[in-house]
């Protein structure tokens, strides 16, 4: 008996007791699953820790759920609602667009602009043939005819393409002209590539416009037995300002459009001005039709908007500065922002749920054939009551969702210094393409993925999951080690997520005296970072329990918190590099990239910031002389000796994986006290290229003194304070020896002090020293 | 370092396959040492580390926040009422205000107490205290003027009482002979003081310290002998009396005493004002850059310190003459004892106890001596021994009188600090907690630890093989051990980093060290001249290796 495969997701990540939560489950090899609500306590199964821990919770929804196989529409495209059938041109027509294909020979026929039913072979479309050539097709079911250009399209070059068709004579002509300038394309004029192509011929068929065929840009209607109607012929590349005329335009007229002149309104049916409607605060999914019928197009799976267009002059680097040059909409055949599955179960959560990380555990099969899936979500309290809140870095979870670097990125093994350790679920992920990509991955056409979403099953946002490339618990399962510690220490705590911070700003944090961050809160939006800064500045106490935090600038739409946008570029380490001129996020118009490049290094907020990353071995911290100052000596109370954290679930040490360092030159507050630092890291740890401006021999752990984790503490206004651990591995040292260790002791000292209102310990030892020694 | 070390291994040059003509195929090299070993092994500091930090047990004013800080001055000077330094607390970043100079507060409190003395004195003690107060006021005024001479002008004149006495006798004489009213006596005294001061200022420009002191002491004695033997000045009566006085004769003795007290108190205030205006303004400032034994420097910078000194001397002589005139008007005459040697010595005791060069030293020194001399009069002669003992103690143990104690204490504490630190700290070692409080940048603190560890590790890589390898080819592909050493050396901070200067005249090369400061040229570190850059590279390498091994 084969093991059933279960995948699921929920419509929300952050909920409150009593909320209604929808679950979407796809099951292969089972039609019923045993569902059970569980509270997640510990997620790392490393033998040195307590192992996996969950608590089963009573809930009405517990029991058997009826499940089915679900299908996912991949790919981004635009859909035009055309109830009056203006676009179903019966006779002559001209269809045109500026395009920049990124994968002209994708292995399938790509549809640029279509009113085409692939199953029936009816309608018309302008597209790119399997061989990468521009083609125009008309069909009437039994008879399909097409006209193809003579040369393949070049990848990453801008073209103006058009097809005009005379319905009475059947005369069709293809018009393809390169519109390369010095900036907009991959190649320059020095390469002898002829972009120009013309083809003409008399077609046998005429288009038959079926009633139900949608008008699509970047795809075409299709139908399969097991999934029904869907969109195929998905396009990879950019489209800029496409349009449709109800007459055959002449070569001269097309030349005028190509040169960017104003379009004649004679015979114009639709003209989508892709650069219209841009605002200072971002771009939506609606593409405006400037034609007579205002047939606006709507994006599916978030086509990437605000990209450089055919006429990008290189002078401006943002759609806000020169919208006319940023009409490019980018489509990807493997884009996915929402699975849009049928709801399997709507669950009203019990009113009595305490705040925490929860999941619905789904099981089907038994014994070795047991298929299991956890669909996690986070429950906030209805009204905050505790002093402590643990902040789950859900934005970073979204960023890493279903990352496939072990399989696809050649740099993964050089970076981690080890072969990938693939679990069953990793191998399952590698074999499927319907679960979407992470912000670390590339779309199949080589572009970096700038949108990631949680409205899809996320295999690495699961307890027990271990990162295959680094062979350790990473993000959510690693963060659960902190939850297990809070449980073990019997602290009264509640939880928050990045989503709450993004939605509510500082007011989400304000009810708490002490906020504890996750182990790797790397992706941060402006609102989230502002809220963190404001919280600390107004007297909040913040425990930054991680490393490489507050690194990337990301953005969310207010009404779609499940989709995160990020743009990677600049000197920071990145798994992909945004194209020139595409550094600003379409979501809100803000600059992407690393926060440091925008004048907001993490040091300015939490005292430490990213300096190095490495794998395979972690080090320990040793106390620094500052820790003997009475303003901070209470932090190390009860700790014998100078060594802290020479153990841990992440490579045997508390200082490892991602390291942060104090740097007054980057805004570490001048009174920051260095409690302890690590040292002697292996050469797997290299210096963050953001802080070096020249590379030379010896920029790694065994050579460069900057490669270290700094544990830092400073006081903030109004009795506020920040404790920064400075390493991703810190939190994973907590569970060692059943939570009885010096890392746990130290963190307890911090938390105990932070939850007590009023002056912090040590705050009276602030006079200038009069040293006798 | 000629014989090869025992434990050696072979390094294979990865570039040999590319260039067998230039590159060497293999070389002996040092055996592998883990850079992590020292980090794993060092688990505690070598010395015991103690907690540091000092409790804030006193109040410190915060900053002004949004409001404007209005800063007033002493009219008509430019001086602020209090010198206040605004700063950020190193530990908390809180804005704080520190009163840099608390003396104005102490002065106000002290002078108010003195002004209130007659009102709060019990009747039983009134006579003794107020009489002593009168003496105190006059002597304090004299000592303030004297302090200008000794402290500000650095002229060791002991003729102060000669001037006061001469002025007092002359004015008393003028009053008894010509019936001058009391209010003319002080101005007349001032004129006499000016003339007398002018005469004794002349040798001050020629004679230094000790000799001048002897001369003025002789002058004082001369005056005493002159007045004691002159009949007109009352050789028969032990002094000259009968001068006009400002004390109304019809007042009660208590009333008279109180009036005299306040008059002398006012005299002292005037002397303080004079002190302040001379010492604190242009003259005083000029002379502060020309202290005794460092006159040559002041002269070289164009300061005419001689003229300034003489002017201070003359001004204070005018003051002393004025006090002499007032003395006559106060006591209705003057006794010969003003010239006596013990008066000079007691006056000197007052200055020394308080501390030379400070107004507060003159006033408090006077207060102490007058207290013992005039208030504890019942003790008898022993009180002079007490004064002598105090003086002895001050001279033996204090560097600059009572008011130098604070500075002296700090110097002593700093000395103790550096003594203790030198026994605890390790050269080139990690910072101690107490040192770390003085570091401005956490990065520097960590770098000290790193340097210590890395050097200890790198020392193990220095072997004859590695040195031979470098001699063979300072540039090009190196074995790991050699490259590690070179990378460490290259990454050192700029100050004192070695470089090579090319000498055109001799066509050679010499090792220099960079200054690390813009505008400061590199310094030559050795005379040796290398014939080629390659030899010089190796010379630098050897120096660096030596520095490493010595650290």
């Amino acid at each position: 008996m084969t093991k059933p495969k279960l995948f699921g997701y929920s419509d929300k990540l952050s909920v409150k007791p009593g909320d209604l939560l929808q679950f979407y489950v796809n099951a292969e090899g089972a039609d019923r699953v045993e569902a059970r609500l569980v509270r997640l306590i510990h997620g790392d199964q490393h033998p040195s820790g307590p192992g996996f821990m969950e608590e089963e919770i009573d809930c009405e929804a517990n029991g058997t759920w009826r499940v089915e196989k679900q299908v996912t529409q991949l790919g981004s495209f635009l859909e035009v609602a055309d109830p009056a059938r203006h676009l179903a041109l019966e006779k002559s027509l001209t269809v045109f667009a500026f395009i920049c294909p990124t994968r002209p020979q994708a292995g399938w026929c790509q549809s640029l602009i279509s009113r085409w039913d692939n199953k029936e072979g009816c309608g018309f479309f302008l597209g790119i043939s399997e061989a990468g050539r521009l083609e125009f097709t008309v069909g009437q079911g039994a008879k399909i005819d097409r006209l193809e250009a003579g040369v393949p399209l070049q990848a990453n070059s801008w073209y103006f393409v058009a097809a005009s068709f005379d319905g009475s004579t059947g005369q069709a002509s293809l018009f393809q002209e390169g519109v390369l300038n010095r900036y907009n394309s991959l190649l320059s004029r020095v390469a002898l590539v002829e972009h120009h192509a013309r083809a003409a011929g008399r077609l046998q068929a005429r288009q038959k416009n079926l009633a139900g065929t949608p008008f699509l840009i970047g795809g075409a209607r299709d139908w399969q037995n097991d999934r029904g109607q869907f969109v195929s012929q998905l396009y990879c590349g950019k489209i800029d300002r496409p349009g449709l005329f109800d007459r055959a335009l002449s070569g001269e007229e097309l030349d005028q459009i190509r040169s960017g002149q104003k379009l004649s309104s004679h015979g114009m049916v639709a003209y989508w001005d892709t650069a219209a409607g841009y605002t200072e605060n971002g771009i939506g999914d609606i593409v405006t039709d400037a034609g007579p019928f205002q047939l606006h197009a709507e994006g599916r799976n978030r086509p990437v908007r605000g990209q450089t267009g055919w006429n990008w002059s290189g002078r401006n680097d943002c759609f806000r500065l020169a919208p006319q040059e940023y009409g490019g909409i980018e489509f990807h055949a493997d884009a996915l922002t929402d699975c849009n599955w049928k709801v399997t179960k709507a669950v009203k959560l019990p009113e009595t749920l305490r705040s925490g990380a929860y999941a619905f555990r789904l099981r089907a099969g038994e014994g070795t054939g047991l298929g299991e899936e956890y669909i996690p979500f986070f429950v906030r309290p209805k009204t905050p009551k505790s002093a402590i809140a643990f902040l789950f870095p859900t934005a970073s979870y979204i960023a890493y969702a279903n990352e496939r670097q072990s399989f696809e990125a050649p740099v993964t093994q050089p970076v981690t210094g080890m072969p990938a350790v693939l679990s069953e679920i990793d191998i399952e992920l590698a074999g499927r393409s319907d679960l979407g990509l992470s912000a670390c991955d590339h779309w199949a056409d080589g572009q970096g993925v700038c949108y990631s979403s949680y409205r899809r099953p996320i295999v690495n946002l699961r307890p027990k999951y271990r990162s295959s490339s680094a062979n350790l618990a990473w993000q959510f399962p690693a963060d659960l080690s902190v939850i297990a510690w809070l449980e073990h220490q019997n602290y009264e705590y509640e939880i928050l997520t990045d989503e709450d911070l993004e939605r509510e700003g500082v007011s989400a944090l304000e009810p708490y005296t002490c906020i504890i961050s996750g182990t790797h809160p790397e992706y941060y939006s402006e609102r989230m970072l502002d809220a963190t800064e404001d919280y600390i500045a107004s007297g909040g106490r913040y425990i930054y329990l991680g490393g490489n935090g507050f690194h990337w600038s990301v953005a969310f739409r207010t009404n779609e918190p499940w989709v995160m946008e990020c743009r990677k570029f600049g000197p920071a380490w990145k798994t992909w590099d945004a194209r020139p001129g595409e550094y600003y996020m379409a979501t809100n118009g803000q600059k992407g990239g690393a926060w440091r490049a925008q004048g907001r290094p993490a040091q300015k907020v939490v005292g430490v910031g990213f300096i190095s990353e490495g794998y395979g071995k972690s080090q320990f911290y040793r106390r620094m002389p500052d820790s003997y100052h009475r303003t901070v000596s209470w932090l190390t109370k009860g700790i014998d000796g100078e060594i802290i954290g020479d153990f841990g679930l992440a490579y045997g040490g508390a200082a490892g994986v991602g390291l942060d360092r104090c740097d007054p030159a980057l805004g570490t507050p001048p009174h920051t006290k260095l409690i302890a630092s690590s040292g002697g890291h292996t050469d797997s740890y290299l210096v963050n290229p953001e802080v070096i401006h020249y590379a030379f021999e010896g920029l790694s752990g065994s050579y460069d003194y900057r490669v270290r984790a700094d544990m830092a503490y400073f006081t903030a206004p109004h009795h506020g304070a920040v404790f920064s651990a400075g390493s991703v591995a810190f939190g994973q040292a907590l569970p060692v020896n059943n939570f009885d260790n010096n890392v746990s002791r130290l963190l307890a000292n911090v938390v105990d002090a932070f939850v007590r209102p009023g002056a912090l310990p040590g705050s009276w030892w602030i006079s200038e020293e009069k040293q006798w020694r | 370092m000629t014989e090869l070390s025992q434990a050696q291994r072979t390094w294979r040059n990865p570039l040999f396959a590319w260039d067998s003509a230039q590159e060497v195929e293999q070389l002996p090299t040092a055996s592998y040492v883990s850079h992590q070993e020292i980090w794993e092994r060092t688990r505690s500091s070598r010395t015991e580390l103690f907690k540091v930090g000092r409790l804030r047990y006193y109040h410190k004013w915060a900053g002004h926040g949004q409001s404007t800080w209005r800063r007033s001055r002493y009219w008509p000077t430019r001086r602020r009422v209090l010198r206040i330094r605004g700063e950020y607390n190193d530990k908390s970043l809180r804005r704080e205000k520190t009163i840099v100079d608390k003396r104005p507060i102490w002065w106000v409190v002290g002078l108010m107490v003195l002004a209130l003395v007659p009102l709060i004195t019990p009747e039983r003690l009134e006579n003794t205290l107020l009489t002593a107060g009168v003496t105190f006021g006059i002597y304090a005024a004299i000592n303030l003027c004297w302090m200008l001479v000794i402290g500000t002008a650095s002229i060791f004149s002991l003729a102060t009482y000669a001037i006061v006495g001469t002025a007092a006798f002359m004015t008393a004489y003028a009053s008894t002979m010509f019936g001058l009213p009391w209010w003319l006596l002080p101005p007349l005294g001032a004129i006499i003081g000016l003339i007398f001061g002018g005469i004794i200022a002349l040798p001050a420009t020629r004679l230094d310290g000790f000799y001048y002191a002897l001369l003025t002491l002789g002058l004082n004695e001369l005056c005493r002998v002159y007045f004691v033997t002159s009949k007109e000045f009352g050789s028969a009566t032990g002094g000259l009396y009968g001068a006009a006085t400002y004390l109304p004769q019809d007042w009660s003795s208590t009333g008279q005493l109180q009036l005299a007290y306040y008059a002398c108190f006012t005299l002292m205030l005037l002397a303080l004002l004079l002190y302040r205006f001379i010492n604190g303004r242009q003259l005083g400032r000029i002379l502060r850059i020309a202290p005794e034994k460092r006159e040559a420097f002041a002269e070289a910078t164009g300061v005419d310190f001689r003229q300034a000194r003489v002017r201070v001397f003359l001004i204070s002589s005018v003051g002393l003459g004025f006090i002499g005139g007032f003395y006559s008007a106060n006591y209705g005459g003057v006794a010969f004892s003003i010239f006596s040697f013990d008066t000079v010595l007691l006056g000197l005791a007052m200055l020394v106890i308080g501390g030379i060069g400070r107004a507060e030293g003159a006033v408090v020194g006077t207060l102490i001596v007058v207290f013992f001399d005039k208030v504890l009069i019942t003790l008898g002669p022993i009180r002079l021994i007490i004064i002598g003992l105090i003086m002895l103690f001050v001279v033996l143990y204090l560097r600059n009188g009572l008011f130098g104690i604070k500075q002296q204490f700090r110097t002593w504490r700093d000395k103790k600090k550096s003594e203790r630190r030198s026994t605890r700290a390790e050269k080139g070692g990690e910072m101690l907690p107490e040192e770390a409080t003085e570091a401005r940048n956490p990065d520097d603190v960590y770098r000290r630890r790193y340097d210590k560890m890395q050097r200890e590790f790198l020392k193990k890589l220095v072997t004859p093989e590695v040195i031979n390898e470098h001699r063979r080819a300072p540039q090009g592909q190196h074995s790991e051990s050699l490259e590690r050493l070179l990378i460490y050396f290259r990454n050192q901070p700029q100050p004192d980093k070695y470089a090579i200067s090319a000498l055109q005249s001799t066509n050679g090369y010499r090792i220099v060290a960079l200054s690390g400061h813009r505008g400061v040229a590199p310094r030559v570190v050795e005379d040796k001249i290398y014939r080629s850059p390659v030899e010089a590279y190796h010379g630098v390498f050897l120096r660096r290796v030596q520095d490493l091994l010595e650290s």
Side-chain angles (χ1 to χ4, degrees), chain A residues 653-665:
Chain A
V657 187
L659 308 180
D660 286 4
R661 156 183 181 258
C662 289
D663 191 347

Side-chain angles (χ1 to χ4, degrees), chain B residues 345-346 349-350 353 365 368-374 381-394:
Chain B
L345 280 186
L346 273 182
M350 296 173 193
I353 289 172
I368 291 170
V369 173
V370 169
F371 179 75
F372 280 106
D373 192 33
K374 302 290 183 202
I382 193 127
R383 67 189 199 275
L384 292 176
I385 293 176
I386 293 173
I387 292 171
L389 285 175
I390 293 174
M391 201 169 149
L392 196 68
F393 169 80
V394 167

Side-chain angles (χ1 to χ4, degrees), chain A residues 617-626 628-631 633 641-643 646 661-664 668-674 676-683 696-698 701-708 710 715 763-773, chain B residues 35-36 39-40 42-45 49-58 89-94 96 409-410 412-414 416-417 420-421 424 430-438 440-443 445-447 449-450 453-454 457 480 483-484 487 490-491:
Chain A
K617 187 168 189 289
S618 297
Q619 297 297 113
F620 49 77
Y621 293 86
R622 208 180 117 213
R623 282 177 70 177
M624 291 296 289
D626 269 359
Y628 294 86
H629 199 282
R630 288 187 179 89
T631 47
S633 54
E642 296 178 25
I643 304 296
D646 49 348
R661 156 183 181 258
C662 289
D663 191 347
T668 298
H671 64 313
T672 301
K673 289 259 178 277
L674 203 50
S677 293
S678 68
H681 290 276
T682 63
D683 286 330
F696 44 81
E697 273 183 280
S702 75
Y703 298 92
D704 198 300
Y705 82 101
R706 293 171 293 188
V707 177
R708 62 174 198 257
D710 280 346
T715 51
S763 58
W764 289 98
W765 296 87
I766 54 166
S767 285
E768 192 189 352
E769 278 78 16
K770 302 203 166 171
Q771 309 269 18
W772 287 92
R773 268 196 304 266
Chain B
H35 81 277
Q36 293 187 305
W39 288 91
E40 302 280 354
T42 311
R43 299 183 79 89
S44 63
S45 305
L49 303 182
F50 301 101
K51 282 187 187 176
V52 292
R54 186 159 155 260
L55 191 65
R56 170 59 54 82
Y57 56 84
Y58 48 90
N89 185 296
D90 272 350
K91 315 288 181 310
S92 65
L93 283 194
R94 173 181 178 255
E96 287 175 349
F409 170 75
R410 287 182 175 171
W412 179 64
R413 189 175 59 197
D414 283 350
K416 285 284 157 211
K417 180 175 89 174
R420 290 187 171 135
R421 231 174 245 192
R424 278 161 53 71
E430 287 192 43
M431 278 196 199
L432 298 165
E434 48 268 33
E435 283 176 291
T437 61
E438 290 154 18
R440 287 271 135 226
N441 188 338
D443 215 38
V445 183
Y446 184 82
R447 194 161 188 163
R449 170 181 290 182
Y450 166 82
M453 301 287 211
Q454 192 74 349
F457 156 61
E480 187 197 316
E483 202 58 35
R484 279 191 177 278
I487 287 171
R490 293 170 195 148
N491 275 305

Side-chain angles (χ1 to χ4, degrees), chain A residues 161-191:
Chain A
V161 295
S164 57
F165 181 61
D166 188 328
S168 48
T169 61
Q171 181 70 28
S173 55
L174 276 179
F175 185 99
Q176 168 189 329
E177 200 67 67
V179 288
L180 289 76
N181 67 21
R182 294 181 204 275
Y183 291 90
N184 67 1
S185 299
L186 175 68
L187 297 178
S188 77
R189 288 180 302 145
V190 303

Side-chain angles (χ1 to χ4, degrees), chain B residues 30 63 126 205 252 323-324 353 356 398 409 419 442 458 466 506 514:
Chain B
E126 199 164 51
T205 59
S252 70
I323 297 166
I353 289 172
I356 302 286
L398 300 183
F409 170 75
E419 276 172 14
L458 291 174
V466 166
T506 56
L514 306 179

Side-chain angles (χ1 to χ4, degrees), chain B residues 462-474:
Chain B
V462 179
T463 59
E465 294 82 19
V466 166
I467 300 212
N468 282 338
E469 186 192 341
H470 189 272
R471 180 179 299 121
R472 212 196 127 268

Side-chain angles (χ1 to χ4, degrees), chain B residues 232-278:
Chain B
E232 313 84 80
F233 293 109
S235 61
T237 52
L240 190 59
Y241 292 98
T245 174
Y246 62 90
L247 297 171
Q249 296 305 309
D250 49 349
W251 281 27
S252 70
S253 71
T254 311
Q256 285 188 5
L257 213 47
Q258 285 188 348
L259 178 62
Y261 180 87
Y262 282 113
C264 294
F265 182 63
T266 312
L267 181 74
M268 186 185 79
L269 291 182
L270 289 175
L272 274 172
L273 217 57
L274 178 75
Y275 186 92
R276 164 74 189 79
F277 270 80
I278 303 302

